[in-house]
């Protein structure tokens, strides 16, 4: 019978053109060139990660408080440092005498051998308190205000603070507030335009006080 003798067409012949078409498309896609930016300005890497020359790394707090180059003072007699009797006057309340003595010992014992005025040690016996305090301020390059709860309650401390501020704005860098045992909210409003040293820092802030004094003395060289 005719139906029994006929053979079906081979399936491989019907799939062969489709396989060639698939291979051709795959090769065409593989050969397609990748799209590259036209210039370095359109590169996302250049936009998101600028070079160190364009934007240097931010300055850290450690770099501010501990400069890589140590501060040194000129020791010859021609330096303006010797135009006054003292490098720094420490203003403190009577109840903070121990803390003031520790600060003075730190400053005087440093390699710079800073000359400090301490009221109960260096004041002239028998002299008037007001005139002696004013003389101490005028005879010192810098003045450290040891601001504590006792300082805020002492009228003589407030007197010295106001006397120190009368030299502003020419006294920039000379008055150094050292806040100890107080919150930022208790900081005297008269000093709000000045940065202060936080006594809660390392060594009670003594190192920062010394660096501030030496930085000012360097300007006199």
């Amino acid at each position: 019978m005719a139906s029994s003798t006929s053979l079906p067409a081979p399936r491989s012949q019907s799939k062969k053109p489709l396989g060639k078409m698939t291979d051709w498309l795959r090769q065409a896609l593989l050969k397609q060139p990748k799209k590259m930016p036209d210039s370095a300005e359109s590169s996302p890497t250049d936009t998101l990660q600028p070079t160190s020359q364009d934007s240097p790394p931010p300055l850290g707090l450690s770099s501010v408080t501990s400069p890589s180059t140590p501060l040194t003072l000129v020791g010859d007699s021609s330096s303006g440092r010797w135009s006054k009797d003292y490098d720094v006057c420490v203003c403190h309340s009577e109840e903070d005498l121990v803390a003031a003595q520790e600060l003075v010992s730190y400053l005087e014992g440093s390699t710079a051998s800073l000359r400090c005025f301490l009221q109960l040690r260096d004041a002239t016996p028998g002299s008037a308190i007001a005139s002696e305090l004013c003389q101490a301020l005028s005879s010192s390059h810098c003045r450290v205000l040891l601001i504590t709860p006792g300082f805020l309650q002492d009228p003589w401390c407030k007197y010295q603070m106001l006397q120190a501020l009368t030299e502003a704005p020419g006294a920039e860098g000379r008055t150094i507030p050292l806040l100890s045992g107080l919150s930022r909210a208790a900081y005297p409003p008269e000093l709000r335009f000045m940065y202060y040293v936080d006594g809660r820092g390392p060594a009670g802030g003594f190192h920062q006080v010394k660096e501030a004094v030496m930085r000012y003395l360097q300007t006199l060289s």
Side-chain angles (χ1 to χ4, degrees), residues 145-172:
L145 306 180
L146 184 55
I147 303 176
T148 64
F151 184 97
L152 299 180
Q153 300 299 323
D154 192 320
W156 288 114
C157 288
K158 188 170 185 178
Y159 175 81
Q160 278 189 299
M161 178 182 69
L162 295 178
Q163 285 295 321
L165 294 177
T166 58
E167 298 183 13
E172 182 177 355

Side-chain angles (χ1 to χ4, degrees), residues 36-219:
M36 300 296 290
D38 297 335
S39 63
E41 296 179 355
S42 61
S43 174
T45 305
D46 293 339
T47 303
L48 299 178
Q49 300 178 0
T51 61
S52 58
Q53 294 179 353
D54 296 333
S55 57
L59 196 63
L61 291 177
S62 59
S63 301
V64 175
T65 57
S66 301
S68 57
T69 304
L71 297 174
T72 56
L73 298 178
V74 178
D76 57 60
S77 58
S78 62
S79 172
R81 176 187 180 187
W82 309 110
S83 63
K84 293 183 179 294
D85 296 332
Y86 300 97
D87 296 319
V88 56
C89 173
V90 179
C91 306
H92 64 92
S93 67
E94 187 175 349
E95 65 182 64
D96 296 318
L97 176 60
V98 174
Q101 288 175 329
E102 292 176 352
L103 174 60
V104 168
S105 297
Y106 180 89
L107 298 177
E108 293 180 338
S110 64
T111 55
S113 299
L114 298 176
R115 302 166 300 157
C116 300
F117 178 90
L118 188 62
Q119 179 183 347
L120 295 182
R121 182 191 68 179
D122 301 316
T124 303
S127 61
I129 296 178
S131 60
E132 192 69 19
L133 294 180
C134 290
Q135 180 64 25
L137 292 175
S138 61
S139 300
S140 303
H141 288 294
C142 299
R143 60 291 310 265
V144 175
L145 306 180
L146 184 55
I147 303 176
T148 64
F151 184 97
L152 299 180
Q153 300 299 323
D154 192 320
W156 288 114
C157 288
K158 188 170 185 178
Y159 175 81
Q160 278 189 299
M161 178 182 69
L162 295 178
Q163 285 295 321
L165 294 177
T166 58
E167 298 183 13
E172 182 177 355
R174 294 183 61 187
T175 301
I176 307 166
L178 173 58
L179 193 66
S180 179
L182 289 171
S183 64
R184 177 67 176 86
Y187 190 55
E190 297 88 347
L191 302 174
R192 291 296 170 91
F193 64 94
M194 288 184 178
Y195 286 112
Y196 65 87
V197 177
D198 193 344
R200 297 173 299 178
F206 290 1
H207 177 73
Q208 288 179 277
V209 170
K210 183 195 73 172
E211 294 290 300
V213 173
M214 293 180 63
R215 190 173 296 110
Y216 178 80
L217 294 178
Q218 275 191 326
T219 65

